[in-house]
Amino acid sequence: MRKLILPLAILAALIFSCGNPEKQQTENTVKNNHSVNLADFDSSVKPADNFYQYVNGNWLKNNPIPATEAAWNNFSIIHDNNLTNLRNILEAAASGKNESGSTQQKVGDFYATAMDSSKLNESGIKALESEFKAIEGLKSSADLPALIAQIGVRPLFEINIGADSKASIQNITTLGQGGLGLPDMDYYLNTEASAKTIREQYLTHIQKMFRLMGESESSATAISKKIFELEKSLAGVSMTRVELRDVEAQYNKKSLKDFTASAPGFNWSDYFKTLGIEGKVNDLIIAQPKFFTGVNALSTSVSTADWKNYLRWNLISSAAGKLSDDFVQENFNFYGTVLNGSKTLKPRWKRAVQQADASVSDLLGQLYVEKYFSPESKKKVNSIVDNLIAAYKERITSRDWMSAQTKKEALHKLETIIRKLGFPDKWRDCSSLEIKRDAYVLNYFRSNTFEFNFMADKLGKPVDKTEWGMTAPTVNAYYNPSFNEIVFPAGIMQPPFFNPEADDAVNYGAIGAVIGHELTHGFDDQGCQYNAEGNLKNWWTKEDSLKFKEKTNKVVEQFNHFKVLDSLHINGALTLGENIADLGGLTIAYYAYQKSLEGKPQPSMIDGFTGNQRFFISWAQGWRGNMREEYLKQLIKTNPHSPNNARVMAPLANMKEFYEAFNVKPENKMFRAEKDRPEIW
C-alpha cells in the first residue's frame, strides 16, 4: 500500500526559487557577495529614490534568468551550489559497493534509479500498473474512500497529523481542502481573459497526458472536460487564499462520530482503516467544513467512470516527473512553462538531486552536514540570535501602544522561542525505509509510505518538538507557531546571507534580518494568536488588539498600492504576515547590529559607506532577483510573500533609520509622510 507524504503543520517560510546558472557564474556571484560589491550598483539612480535599483541595478542586468528557471535570485544561486555538493555525495554513493540497508545504499540507489534514463524510457508507466488496475476495479462510490487511501495520491483533500493548535502537546488529525490541479481555486472561477487562457491550456495538458496513457484523442478530450468540471466543483467550495490566513476560522474540532454522521456519503471508516489508523483517530480538526460538505455531496453525485478518470489523472500527474521522458516533458510544458514561464527542463541530475533531498532527506542531510557544514557557522549565527532577541526585548518594552499586561506575555513568548540551527540534534530512524534499484517512481512512493507512517505513528503520542520541517541543505527558514520555534537549516548559512568573514553590518543586514523576520512571525497577525506554549489562545488585551489592527491596516494599505506589473498590484491582505515580518525583522536586526557595537569603536567607512549604510545595502542585496512575468502573476495570486523589490523598498520607506542613513527628504520618491509609516515592532 502506498501512502503520500502530506503537509506539515503551518509553517511561515521564506520564499526561494531553485537555480541553474553556469558554474562560473555561481562561483563569482557567491564570491562577490562576501561584502558590498560596487560593480552591482546602478549609480545613475539615487538611493533615496529607488534603493533596490541603486544597490542591484547592474546585478539585475548582468544576471538574466537561466532558461530552466522561473526566477533567479540569491536563494537560487546558493541552492544551485548546494545541488552540486549533494550531487557529489549521491554520485559517490551510487557508484560504490554499499552494505544493504546502509545510508549510502539507500541514497545511492535512489539516485541511480532517477538517473537511469534508458530504463525509465523503456518502462514508461509499467511501474504503475497495480495502481491503475486498482482504480479500474472501482465498483461504486462506496468503495471510493478506501481506494483513495490505497493508491497514495492526494485527490479531494489533504490529511495531516501534528500538533493540535489549541493543545500543542498533543497530536491530532487534520483534514484540509485540496484536489486541484491548478495552483488555486481562483484559476477555475476567475472571469479574466488570462485565467480563461490558462484553463484552456490546462484542459489541453490533461488531454495530452491521457493520450500518452493510450486514450484516443476524442476519449482524452472528453475525459479532460469531466476532470476539469470535478475540480471546478471543488474550487467552488474552497476557501480563498486570504480566507486561509484566518487560523481561528480553520479550527473546527469534531469527534469522529459527529464528523462521519455529518458526511454519510463518504465512508471515513474505510478510509482510515485502509490508511492503517482506524481506532487511533478520535477527534479531528476539519479545517474547511464547507469543503467537506461539498466532498460528501460529490462522492455520490459523480459517476464511477468519472471518479476512475479523476484518480487516474491524480496518479499520473503526481508521478509524471519520475516516469519516461514523454511524461516528464509534458508535465513540464504546463507546470514549468505555462504557469511559471521556464523555457527549458532542468538537467536530469538536478531533478534527481532535488527529489533525493525531498525523499531520502534525513539520510542525505547527515552526509551533507558531515562534509559541507562548519560548526563555527552555527556558533556565529547563534551569537547573532542572542543579540536579536536582546534587541527584541528592548523594542517590546519600549512600545508605547502596548499595555504592561500584553508586554509581559509578549516577552514571555519571546524568551521561550526554541532555536534550531544547522541540523537536527537527532536524526530520524530510517531503518524501515526501503529503497531498491527497480524503479524511480516505486522508490518515490516507498519514501512517501515511510513519511506517512512516520506521521501516523504520532497518533496517541505526545508532540516531539525536536522534529524539523525542512531538510538540512534547504536554503530557507521558518517559524512554527505550534512549537514556538525558529528553524535555520545549514543550507542558508552561507554567503550572501551569512559569511563569518564579513563585517557585522553585512551579516546583520542579511542573515540578521532573515532571523528577525522569522522571530517576527511569532508576532505577526497570525503568529500573535498563539501563546508561548504554541497554543491558539488570545493573550492580548482588547485595546491592544485594536491598536495592533490599526497598525497592520497601514501595512495592508501600503502594499495594496504597490504596483508590480502594468495594473497588477500586490494583495496586501494575502501578504500581510510576511510584510509585517519583513518590517519587524529588518527593524530588529538594525537594533541588534547597534547592540553588537556596544563597547566597540564605531566601524570605519568601507567602500565609501558607513556601517549603517552597509547594513541597509546588505538587506537590499539579499532580496535581489529577476522573475518571469508568468511566475510573477502566479506569485501575486497565490503566494503570501511580496515580490523582491517590494520586500526591499516598502520596509525601508517606513524606517526613519533608513531616512537618516541615506538622507531621504520629502522630494525623494521613497519618502512617506510619518503618519503613513507603520511602526509595529
Side-chain angles (χ1 to χ4, degrees), residues 172 576 622:
I172 194 167
L576 178 59

Side-chain angles (χ1 to χ4, degrees), residues 389-415:
I389 289 178
Y392 224 130
K393 287 180 181 179
E394 293 178 3
R395 293 290 293 180
I396 290 173
T397 302
S398 68
R399 298 303 84 196
D400 59 8
W401 57 272
M402 293 180 77
S403 67
Q405 179 181 335
T406 305
K407 285 180 181 179
K408 180 181 178 181
E409 295 296 329
L411 289 169
H412 176 53
K413 181 173 184 177
L414 179 68
E415 290 163 356

Side-chain angles (χ1 to χ4, degrees), residues 226-245:
K226 290 286 189 177
I227 289 171
F228 180 83
E229 287 305 315
L230 202 165
E231 291 185 358
K232 185 178 179 181
S233 296
L234 295 174
V237 292
S238 298
M239 278 188 170
T240 67
R241 293 276 174 163
V242 173
E243 289 172 335
L244 289 171
R245 299 199 72 255

Side-chain angles (χ1 to χ4, degrees), residues 93 96-110 360 363 367 430-431 433 435:
K97 292 183 178 180
N98 304 311
E99 181 182 351
S100 178
S102 67
T103 295
Q104 285 77 9
Q105 177 263 310
K106 292 178 180 180
V107 301
D109 285 2
F110 188 94
V360 288
L363 297 174
L367 301 178
C430 298
S431 56
L433 171 59
I435 300 294

